[in-house]
């Protein structure tokens, strides 16, 4: 197998009798920031969930040289593969501090406090409010918290599902500044976004998904110049 960080071959996901992901193959190299764009219902979220082993799927998923498609989802956290789900999935009745601690529950090393400090440096709004209940945070703050919680697991590959969803433009900018900073620290990122313009701005490379299949794969620059992409996703 090639030495990509993630290699996906012929991924298939069905909901009952309906195919939502139909033979998706993709590869991500260490340190890359790659996006998966496409319309509503194209199968982007389903693909991410399948990669995180949260849905049954067919096909092969190779991660850091290991075949992970038969592993349970919790086994991936310790291997450094983390999903920040659509809608964030923070524990609304726990505090910020407790949510962050949940992200490190599997760790037994002595560097958790140092990581927490680093994450607070990246997300200062969280440091100011450690005892606030997550459910009382704004949408943008919850998105930051969800990213912070994933970072507490020391991910090598972060799967981000629609981090811009439901956020005001200014907050979207802030969340994406954080995502760029995370990438700059060496975390590889696979970003699912409906905001194709933004996704192609921040990522080096992208895949376009339509009706469960990858229909285009290229550099962000080439995709942003592609007439089909411009017409379908960039409103041009
Ligand atoms: P969105 O941006 O709207 O979330 P998406 O590209 O992420 O879109 P998916 O959410 O992966 O798309 O959905 C892909 C297809 O699978 C859609 O047709 C959707 O209706 C269907 N689907 C998603 N979740 C389920 C489910 N739990 N049960 C049945 N069908 C589902």
């Amino acid at each position: 197998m090639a030495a990509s960080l993630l290699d996906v071959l012929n991924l298939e996901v069905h909901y009952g009798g309906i195919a939502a992901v139909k033979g998706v193959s993709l590869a991500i190299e260490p340190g890359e920031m790659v996006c998966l764009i496409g319309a509503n219902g194209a199968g982007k979220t389903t693909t991410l969930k399948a990669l995180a082993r949260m849905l049954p799927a067919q096909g092969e998923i190779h991660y850091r040289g290991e075949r992970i498609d038969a592993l349970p989802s919790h086994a991936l956290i310790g291997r450094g593969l983390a999903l920040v789900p659509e809608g964030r999935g923070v524990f609304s009745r726990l505090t910020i501090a407790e949510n962050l601690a949940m992200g490190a529950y599997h760790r037994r090393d002595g560097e958790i406090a140092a990581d927490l400090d680093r994450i607070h440096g990246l997300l200062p709004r969280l440091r100011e409010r450690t005892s606030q209940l997550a459910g009382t945070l704004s949408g943008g703050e919850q998105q930051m918290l969800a990213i912070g919680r994933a970072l507490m697991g020391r991910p090598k590959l972060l799967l981000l599902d629609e981090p811009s969803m439901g956020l005001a433009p200014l907050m979207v900018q802030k969340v994406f500044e954080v995502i760029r900073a995370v990438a700059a620290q060496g975390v590889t990122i696979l970003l699912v976004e409906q905001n194709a313009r933004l996704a192609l701005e921040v990522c080096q490379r992208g895949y376009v998904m339509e009706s469960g299949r990858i229909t285009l794969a290229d550099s962000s620059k080439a995709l942003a110049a592609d007439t089909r992409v411009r017409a379908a996703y960039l409103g041009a």
Side-chain angles (χ1 to χ4, degrees):
M1 199 68 224
S4 301
L5 184 70
L6 182 75
D7 260 301
V8 181
L9 298 173
N10 276 318
L11 192 72
E12 305 252 349
V13 185
H14 294 83
Y15 293 112
I18 298 168
V21 175
K22 307 169 189 167
V24 162
S25 296
L26 52 87
I28 301 180
E29 304 301 320
E32 276 196 307
M33 199 169 171
V34 177
C35 62
L36 182 59
I37 59 176
N40 254 318
K44 307 179 299 295
T45 295
T46 302
T47 300
L48 280 200
K49 282 187 180 166
L51 296 180
R53 298 285 305 125
M54 294 169 75
L55 283 175
Q58 278 94 53
E60 296 182 17
I61 309 171
H62 299 256
Y63 169 70
R64 302 181 76 208
E66 180 187 13
R67 187 129 177 220
I68 61 162
D69 44 84
L71 294 178
S73 59
H74 63 80
L76 301 180
I77 312 279
R79 286 169 167 78
L81 195 163
L83 169 70
V84 178
E86 190 173 17
R88 298 129 201 169
V90 298
F91 300 103
S92 56
R93 301 182 74 164
L94 299 184
T95 65
I96 288 180
E98 288 163 343
N99 267 278
L100 290 174
M102 292 293 282
Y105 79 93
H106 61 287
R107 289 176 56 184
R108 296 287 175 271
D109 58 273
E111 294 173 33
I112 295 173
D115 282 352
L116 183 60
D117 224 38
R118 197 166 47 81
I119 288 161
H120 277 152
L122 195 66
L123 304 163
R125 288 169 89 103
L126 300 187
R127 190 202 297 270
E128 292 157 17
R129 300 154 182 239
T130 50
S131 55
Q132 187 172 336
L133 291 181
T136 66
L137 294 171
S138 75
E141 289 162 351
Q142 288 189 23
Q143 185 64 62
M144 307 272 195
L145 178 57
I147 293 171
R149 186 180 59 191
L151 293 178
M152 286 297 287
R154 286 208 167 172
K156 294 183 173 61
L157 176 62
L158 200 53
L159 309 175
L160 290 173
D161 196 359
E162 299 270 4
S164 78
M165 191 169 66
L167 303 184
L170 191 63
M171 192 46 94
V172 171
Q173 292 305 324
K174 287 189 177 163
V175 167
F176 271 79
E177 276 169 30
V178 169
I179 294 169
R180 280 184 217 256
V182 170
Q185 293 182 357
V187 178
T188 306
I189 292 177
L190 176 59
L191 168 71
V192 157
E193 256 300 337
Q194 273 206 49
N195 187 335
R197 187 177 302 278
L198 184 60
L200 293 174
E201 257 172 46
V202 300
C203 294
Q204 296 111 19
R205 214 157 58 70
Y207 293 92
V208 178
M209 195 161 186
E210 283 171 44
S211 307
R213 299 179 203 282
I214 302 283
T215 52
L216 286 169
D218 213 328
S219 69
S220 294
K221 202 171 162 204
L223 289 177
D226 187 290
T227 46
R228 290 161 294 180
V229 174
R230 289 167 62 81
Y233 309 111
L234 298 176

